[in-house]
């Protein structure tokens, strides 16, 4: 059905008084871009007369505005709750065949037509809402907690409910679902009888059957309610898989079995509606498997309630396209989002799928009217059939309500650690090292140790870098970024031989991504050979950290003398802390040339200020991260 919208202006409501005389009762609908509020105006005589009973309405010609029909009770309750927040006379009834209807009214037929036109024009109800006589309405499921009744049973109009306390409003509301009466098992049919019973299906019932066939893995075409060749083939395949004759026309009993299997996977998990007023979200979730833990903006966290390691996060924050993009990147750093899986983003939304060995995750969010809302479902691996059903229910039942989580609610406690986002653990790399940009397209030279054994490599946080060359003997690796970048600075290699005891500096990330810019460590050139006499290695007098490895060794003018090598030593022999080794520029340049990279060089030693050296180092130095 069409997406509902907000409306403003004057809308008239009409009701029948005893004896069939029409009384016009007008109320205002206030549309402020959030909710539509209707002020109740009740006449005392209406309560005493009993004309609100469905039978009385049918006799006097009273009708309802049926605004939606849903294939599950939980989804219908969620939508009824959303309508009840905007309109007064909201009712929900079972329609038969597993469907549930949401209706407004009852009203006088003539005035119902006028009211329906006004509501449609204002976008307050879906465009395919229609006038119903109530004959199809069976047991009543809404308002929640009301005694089940058909329109023909006696009913009373309740007085306005008391306002919820502030404390009660803070916690999400879970609404218990009423079980629908179990239908008798239909008799088996002949092929002509199956065709006849199929012909009596409504379009909604035919679409629901296609949805169930898709869930069963035998149908991958569109949900259109048209039983063409694709649907017939899917039916035949389902029949073959379940031991029936493959006629391509399902009997009433077969259709019931398919739908029962489709719904049966949700048994025992308490799938039902939850309204989180603070987050401004109403959604169905497996309430027997997850329970509300806390609001940690931008998330409302629902943790596992038992042995099944399921988890739900509701996403709620104000923002724009830039904030949406930032949230998309941050979510992918969390431990609860496996690294492998499809994902994508545009200006108004994103979807992230992650599949790991022990669990899978789905995250989605959309930006509407300056509010970013969505959810994350984390589910154990190996339970794909149930996960898909839960995910479908969550998607279909998701309703945006007024308001978002207040970022001021974030507590100043240990959950604000640098490796946590809103109390959730961030995925950490195997190691972080340094590198230097060597061309304008963003190629990076680093040490081979930086990329050894990595499943994925990132340059300045952008994953997917390609390892062009890795030479463990030389200790060098060359990387190409996942997409072309324009570094602020590119290395210029010094080809002149430096003098012993010249001042040098190493630019690197000794603390990984804890710092957004590289740090400089100053020292001196102790020898133009390594401790074992290697010609391509220089010895330095400075104290370096493991994260500095791969960073450029600079002369006073910012030219690159080489790359800092990882600290060398054995269990029975450790080098002094002030001793470091560097791979010289003369050994790096041939590797760059072989990779087709035209390096910049100079043979003129130059001097400069410490400030200029710091700026030059920040422009050319890259953070290299190794991930599983």
């Amino acid at each position: 059905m069409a997406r509902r919208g907000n409306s403003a202006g004057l809308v008239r409501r009409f009701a029948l008084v005893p004896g069939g005389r029409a009384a016009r009762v007008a109320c205002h609908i206030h549309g402020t871009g959030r909710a539509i509020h209707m002020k109740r105006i009740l006449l005392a005589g209406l309560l005493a007369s009993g004309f609100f009973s469905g039978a009385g309405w049918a006799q006097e010609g009273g009708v309802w505005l049926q605004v939606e029909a849903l294939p599950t009770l939980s989804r219908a309750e969620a939508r009824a709750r959303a309508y009840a927040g905007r309109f007064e006379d909201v009712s929900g009834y079972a329609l038969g065949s597993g469907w549930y209807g949401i209706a407004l009214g009852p009203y006088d037929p003539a005035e119902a037509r006028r009211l329906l036109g006004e509501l449609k024009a204002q976008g307050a109800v879906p465009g395919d809402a229609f006038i119903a006589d109530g004959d199809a309405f069976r047991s009543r499921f809404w308002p929640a907690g009301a005694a089940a009744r058909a329109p023909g049973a006696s009913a009373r109009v309740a007085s306005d409910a008391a306002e919820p306390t502030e404390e009660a409003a803070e916690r999400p509301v879970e609404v218990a679902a009423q079980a629908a009466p179990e239908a008798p098992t239909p008799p088996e049919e002949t092929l002509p009888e199956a065709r006849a019973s199929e012909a009596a299906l409504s379009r909604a019932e035919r679409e629901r059957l296609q949805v169930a066939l898709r869930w069963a893995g035998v149908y991958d075409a569109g949900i259109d309610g048209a039983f063409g060749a694709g649907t017939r083939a899917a039916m035949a395949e389902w029949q073959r898989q379940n031991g029936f004759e493959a006629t391509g026309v399902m009997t009433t009993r077969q259709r019931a079995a398919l739908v029962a299997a489709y719904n049966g996977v949700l048994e025992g998990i308490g799938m039902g509606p939850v309204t989180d007023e603070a987050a401004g979200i109403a959604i169905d979730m497996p309430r027997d498997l997850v329970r509300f833990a806390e609001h940690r903006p931008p998330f409302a966290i629902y943790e596992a309630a038992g042995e099944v390691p399921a988890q739900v996060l509701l996403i709620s924050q104000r923002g724009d396209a830039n904030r949406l993009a930032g949230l998309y990147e941050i979510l992918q750093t969390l431990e609860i989002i496996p690294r492998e899986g499809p994902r994508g983003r545009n200006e108004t939304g994103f979807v992230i799928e992650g599949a790991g060995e022990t669990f899978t995750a789905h995250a989605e969010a959309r930006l509407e009217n300056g509010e970013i809302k969505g959810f994350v479902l984390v589910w154990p691996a190996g339970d794909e059939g149930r996960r898909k059903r839960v995910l479908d229910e969550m998607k279909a039942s998701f309703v945006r309500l007024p308001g978002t989580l207040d970022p001021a609610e974030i507590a100043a406690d240990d959950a604000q650690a640098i490796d946590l986002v809103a109390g959730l653990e961030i995925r950490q790399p195997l190691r972080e090292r340094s590198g230097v940009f060597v061309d304008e397209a963003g190629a990076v030279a680093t040490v081979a140790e930086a990329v050894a054994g990595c499943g994925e490599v990132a340059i300045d946080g952008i994953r997917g870098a390609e390892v062009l060359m890795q030479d463990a003997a030389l200790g060098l690796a060359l990387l190409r970024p996942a997409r072309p970048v324009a570094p602020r600075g590119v290395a210029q290699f010094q080809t002149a031989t430096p003098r012993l005891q010249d001042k040098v500096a190493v630019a690197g990330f000794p603390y990984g991504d804890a710092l957004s810019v590289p740090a400089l460590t100053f020292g001196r050139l102790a020898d133009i050979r390594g401790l074992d006499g290697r010609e391509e290695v220089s010895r330095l007098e400075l104290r370096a950290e493991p994260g500095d490895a791969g960073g450029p060794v600079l002369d006073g003018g910012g030219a690159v003398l080489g790359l800092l090598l990882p600290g060398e030593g054995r269990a029975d022999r450790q080098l002094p802390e002030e001793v470091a080794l560097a791979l010289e520029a003369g050994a790096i340049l041939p590797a760059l040339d072989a990779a087709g990279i035209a390096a910049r060089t100079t043979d003129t030693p130059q001097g400069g200020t410490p400030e200029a050296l710091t700026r030059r180092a920040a422009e050319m130095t890259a953070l290299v991260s190794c991930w599983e």
Side-chain angles (χ1 to χ4, degrees), residues 36 78-90 102 104 142-143:
I36 303 175
R79 296 301 296 145
R81 186 182 312 108
Y83 278 104
R86 301 183 293 136
F87 301 104
E88 290 292 348
D89 297 324
V90 178
I102 302 170
L104 308 180
W142 187 269

Side-chain angles (χ1 to χ4, degrees), residues 164-209:
T165 64
E166 183 176 349
E167 179 180 358
E170 291 178 354
R171 295 189 62 84
V173 177
E174 299 183 0
V175 181
Q178 290 180 317
E182 186 174 344
T185 302
E188 193 53 282
E189 299 167 331
T190 64
L191 183 58
E193 290 172 337
R195 292 186 185 278
S197 65
E198 180 185 90
L201 296 177
S202 67
R203 176 172 178 173
E205 289 171 326
R206 297 162 74 92
E207 290 177 350
R208 183 167 62 123
L209 199 61

Side-chain angles (χ1 to χ4, degrees), residues 449-487:
E449 182 252 3
V451 298
C454 303
E456 191 174 32
V457 177
I459 298 174
D460 283 349
I462 301 176
R463 298 192 184 187
E466 177 188 0
V467 179
L468 298 177
M469 184 274 284
Q470 184 177 358
D471 189 332
L474 188 62
L476 178 67
L478 299 179
L479 312 177
R480 179 72 68 189
R483 58 179 182 268
V485 298

Side-chain angles (χ1 to χ4, degrees), residues 272-298:
V274 172
T275 299
D276 196 314
E277 298 289 352
I281 292 173
I283 188 173
D284 287 5
M285 65 174 69
R287 300 181 307 189
D288 289 350
L289 302 186
V290 298
R291 61 189 171 201
F292 176 75
E294 61 177 330
H295 288 127
R296 180 75 64 171

